[in-house]
């Protein structure tokens, strides 16, 4: 079964029209169908599109980065944190492992620091304005590796 490689540019807003992210000005994003490189809701909308198409794609939080989970928010003592300076919005990893959860400092009250391990986009409905740059069939190598090679993908060969 052949799979598609779709290359696209995007601008991402939340439902209030606030700009969250965009790829314009850089390399476009490329993904291999079914590889989980981009969020499900967006991939489903882009598959089958043709080069040059401009698609507005709305993805509800549940199909993007998930709903917020209140159990991932906890308070710790500032003295427990291995950092000297601390301010609202700081993000750091909770362990040595590069897959360790990333937490965001969401409140500082004296010695009490609130850490939120939710993804920054959890609970946010996403609105993508996309432009399809190209669509092609994946190569055998890409199918075997499970990712895209070349522009917008991996450059490890
Ligand atoms: Zn590869």
């Amino acid at each position: 079964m052949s799979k598609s490689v779709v290359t696209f540019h995007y601008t991402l807003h939340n439902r209030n029209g606030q700009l969250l992210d965009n790829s314009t000005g850089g390399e476009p994003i490329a993904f291999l169908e079914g590889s989980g490189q981009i969020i499900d809701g967006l991939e489903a909308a882009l598959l089958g599109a043709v080069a040059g198409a401009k698609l507005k794609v709305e993805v509800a939080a549940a199909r993007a980065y998930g709903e917020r989970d209140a159990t991932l928010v906890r308070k710790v003592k500032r003295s427990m944190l291995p950092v000297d300076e601390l301010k609202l919005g700081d993000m750091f990893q909770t362990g040595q492992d590069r897959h360790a959860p990333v937490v965001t400092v969401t409140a500082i009250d004296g010695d009490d620091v609130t850490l939120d391990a939710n993804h920054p986009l959890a609970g946010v409905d996403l609105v993508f304005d996309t432009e399809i740059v190209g669509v092609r069939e994946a190569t055998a190598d890409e199918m075997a590796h499970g990712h895209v090679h070349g522009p917008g993908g991996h450059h490890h060969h």
Side-chain angles (χ1 to χ4, degrees):
M1 256 241 325
S2 72
K3 290 186 174 179
S4 300
V5 170
V6 179
T7 307
F8 68 102
H9 271 298
Y10 71 94
T11 303
L12 172 61
H13 292 89
N14 63 19
R15 278 202 196 283
N16 299 325
Q18 186 190 350
L19 179 68
L20 300 176
D21 196 10
N22 79 90
S23 69
T24 49
E27 243 186 26
I29 307 302
F31 73 90
L32 171 65
E33 178 182 354
S35 64
Q37 282 172 266
I38 65 170
I39 57 175
D40 292 351
L42 182 58
E43 171 166 335
L46 297 186
L47 285 176
V50 296
K54 293 183 178 178
L55 300 174
K56 190 182 194 79
V57 183
E58 300 194 16
V59 185
R63 289 198 73 196
Y65 293 95
E67 301 293 352
R68 285 184 56 78
D69 179 352
T71 67
L72 295 178
V73 179
R74 62 198 178 100
K75 264 186 191 176
V76 300
K77 292 295 177 194
R78 188 180 188 128
S79 51
M80 290 174 58
L81 299 172
V83 287
D84 298 330
E85 305 267 327
L86 204 59
K87 61 182 189 311
L88 284 180
D90 279 355
M91 299 178 78
F92 49 91
Q93 221 154 9
T94 51
Q96 300 296 318
D97 189 318
R98 70 187 179 91
H99 295 298
V102 172
V103 297
T104 306
V105 176
T106 56
I108 302 173
D109 180 15
D111 193 38
D112 291 322
V113 177
T114 304
L115 300 177
D116 186 346
N118 283 287
H119 188 283
L121 293 179
V124 179
D125 294 328
L126 305 178
V127 182
F128 291 92
D129 285 292
T130 67
E131 179 168 6
I132 307 294
V133 175
V135 182
R136 63 175 171 79
E137 227 171 72
T139 65
D141 269 355
E142 288 172 326
M143 299 275 283
H145 290 204
H147 56 230
V148 176
H149 294 160
H154 288 232
H155 298 282
H156 62 148
H157 302 283

